Amino acid sequence: MKHSKNYNKVKDYYDKGYWSIEKVYNAVVKGWITPEEYKEITGYDYDDPEE
C-alpha cells in the first residue's frame, strides 16, 4: 500500500509523543493522511466516538 506524502511524518510525531491523537485526527481533516492511515497509526477507526 502506498502511503500519503505526510504519513511517515505524522506517524513518527505520534509514535514519539509529539502529537496527540487529536493532532493525528486533524491531519485527516486537513488531507495530510487518509482515514485508513489514521487507523494504522492510532489503532482507532477515524469515526470512532471513543476518542
Side-chain angles (χ1 to χ4, degrees), residues 6-39:
N6 291 305
Y7 173 84
N8 288 329
K9 182 188 300 185
V10 173
K11 180 167 176 22
D12 189 47
Y13 287 178
Y14 180 74
D15 288 346
K16 289 182 176 174
Y18 300 148
W19 279 19
S20 65
I21 198 165
E22 290 83 11
K23 287 276 256 185
V24 179
Y25 185 93
N26 286 333
V28 178
V29 172
K30 293 186 182 285
W32 278 33
I33 60 171
T34 66
E36 293 79 17
E37 291 170 334
Y38 173 89
K39 181 163 183 154

Side-chain angles (χ1 to χ4, degrees), residues 31-50:
W32 278 33
I33 60 171
T34 66
E36 293 79 17
E37 291 170 334
Y38 173 89
K39 181 163 183 154
E40 281 183 50
I41 293 169
T42 66
Y44 294 101
D45 288 334
Y46 177 67
D47 60 358
D48 191 342
E50 291 291 312

